[in-house]
Amino acid sequence: MMLAGKRILLGVTGSISAYKSALLVRLLVKAGAEVQVIMTESAQTFITPLTLSTLSKRPVLSQFVANGQTGEWTNHVELGLWADVLVIAPASARTLARCANGLADDLLSAVYLSARCPVFFAPAMDLDMYQHPATTANLARLSSYGNHIIKAEYGELASGLVGEGRLAEPETIVQVLAAHLAQRPELAGRHVLITAGPTQEPIDPVRYISNHSTGKMGYAIARAFAMAGAQVTLISGPTALPLPALGVRRIDVRSAQEMFTAAAAEFPTADVLILNAAVADYTPVHVADRKIKKKETEFALELTRTTDIAATLGAQKRPGQWLMGFALETDNEQANALSKLQSKHLDWIVLNSLRDSGAGFGYDTNKITVMDKAGQTHAFDLKSKDAVAQDLLDLVANALTAPSV
């Protein structure tokens, strides 16, 4: 979503890992970006311009003079002004040296010198080349100019050696670019604490009480805030979802009590607490240490209330902290949500209704209504959970920058 409509120059240089640029172009285009590929002459020995022009839906550029008969030339200055981001991936040792020393003897290095946008280098080369003092000095110099380095990864290299030098995976490069473009200054350095997923309340070593939460909404929120520059701590119940974004600190818990303990420990340093987890309201009083055998026709469990995380932490809220809770309702939706907003000292309550098609557990979409302590109601249409997360981020960011009353 963060890459939609963004104009990205992709420089591809002479490295065996140039073949990965095809997947990188595909991922960028799929994310909605406009991609213009520039190839060095040596890059074309590893992957053809036809492949990348087909995927990018634009002619690949490689020469200053695009048409030798007419004298039509490629304006490197216009390209540098056109782009929102220039990413050189793979960046060979030769290209790093060219750019670090201000040479403009090919189209890509000339575009680099003309670019006014953020520039990212993703180096790729053999182990000894990557560790050579000349390469490390060039990377340090490029970084000192304000460029961004996407570090090479550890693994088996084309030479057969094992070590650092592999091009960062295309998915990682896309994530780094998206995170940069999503930065929000008002969230920089803010500690955002988020709970997500279900809890599991054990009955015996085999069975537990839980709910249908997948964690998708909470993980989307964590991803949005992390990409916007916040320091995100995600307290997650059991879920199969991967880490939502680079830099997110995830604390895995299982039960409601474990989630409360983790949230209470992190809350004092949090600027924003977003309670999205579907936490069990009740837990078994007694947990059997062995599997309960099937004997009787009927079986009863004695349950006790779990700690209300929102109410407990809401009562401890200090000035300057912001709390957002969630309410999944099936009837009297707004009345029940407003009651939670007020009784738990929240700043916002996000209402989901199971009556809305495409909302609730398991879906990739959601439809929310947000009510705040000032009495305002914000209703949103059905949209992807990533888009919903962005709406919630906007509400929080606006509150953080609003003048104190």
Side-chain angles (χ1 to χ4, degrees), residues 49-71:
L50 177 61
T51 298
L52 299 183
S53 65
T54 301
L55 293 172
S56 66
K57 301 178 176 61
R58 288 173 174 266
V60 168
L61 305 176
S62 59
Q63 303 292 331
F64 284 108
V65 180
N67 188 318
Q69 294 181 332
T70 65

Side-chain angles (χ1 to χ4, degrees), residues 9-66:
L9 281 175
L10 173 61
V12 181
T13 72
S15 164
I16 185 63
S17 58
Y19 77 91
K20 292 185 178 180
S21 61
L23 177 56
L24 179 54
V25 171
R26 182 177 177 85
L27 291 173
L28 291 170
V29 171
K30 185 177 180 180
E34 299 179 49
V35 181
Q36 176 62 65
V37 178
I38 303 173
M39 299 182 73
T40 64
E41 183 177 351
S42 58
Q44 297 173 52
T45 63
F46 295 100
I47 186 170
T48 66
L50 177 61
T51 298
L52 299 183
S53 65
T54 301
L55 293 172
S56 66
K57 301 178 176 61
R58 288 173 174 266
V60 168
L61 305 176
S62 59
Q63 303 292 331
F64 284 108
V65 180

Side-chain angles (χ1 to χ4, degrees), residues 101-317:
N101 290 282
L103 300 182
D105 58 349
D106 69 355
L107 179 61
L108 180 56
S109 57
V111 170
Y112 163 70
L113 290 176
S114 302
R116 296 185 182 180
C117 60
V119 179
F120 291 78
F121 289 90
M125 63 201 73
D126 203 58
L127 171 64
D128 296 314
M129 295 177 69
Y130 188 60
Q131 293 181 341
H132 195 280
T135 302
T136 57
N138 286 332
L139 287 169
R141 178 177 287 185
L142 289 169
S143 182
S144 73
Y145 295 159
N147 301 302
H148 306 272
I149 309 300
I150 304 174
K151 292 183 178 180
E153 297 180 353
Y154 183 93
E156 185 177 356
L157 306 172
S159 65
L161 297 175
V162 175
E164 288 187 336
R166 288 170 59 98
L167 177 69
E169 291 302 319
E171 294 85 355
T172 299
I173 295 172
V174 170
Q175 192 172 49
V176 169
L177 297 178
H180 177 82
L181 292 169
Q183 293 291 304
R184 298 282 291 266
E186 59 268 42
L187 289 168
R190 300 279 191 171
H191 181 198
V192 179
L193 178 60
I194 301 166
T195 67
T199 61
Q200 296 177 353
E201 308 305 313
I203 298 172
D204 61 22
V206 177
R207 305 175 181 90
Y208 57 80
I209 301 171
S210 191
N211 55 61
H212 297 297
S213 174
T214 61
K216 289 181 179 180
M217 189 69 251
Y219 274 57
I221 296 169
R223 181 164 48 251
F225 276 89
M227 292 177 66
Q231 297 175 4
V232 175
T233 300
L234 175 64
I235 302 175
S236 176
T239 175
L241 297 174
L243 192 71
L246 296 173
V248 172
R249 182 167 66 99
R250 185 171 72 184
I251 301 172
D252 292 317
V253 299
R254 181 184 178 194
S255 67
Q257 182 58 42
E258 289 175 357
M259 184 165 283
F260 168 71
T261 300
E266 296 289 331
F267 183 59
T269 64
D271 297 294
V272 179
L273 171 59
I274 300 176
L275 296 166
N276 176 254
V279 183
D281 293 322
Y282 293 90
T283 190
V285 173
H286 304 289
V287 179
D289 58 3
R290 296 183 180 182
K291 180 182 176 182
I292 300 172
K293 294 297 184 180
K294 180 171 61 177
K295 294 180 179 179
E296 307 297 333
T297 303
E298 296 183 357
F299 176 74
L301 280 176
E302 184 181 1
L303 303 175
T304 185
R305 284 284 300 270
T306 59
T307 302
D308 190 321
I309 300 175
T312 303
L313 298 184
Q316 300 173 11
K317 183 175 68 170

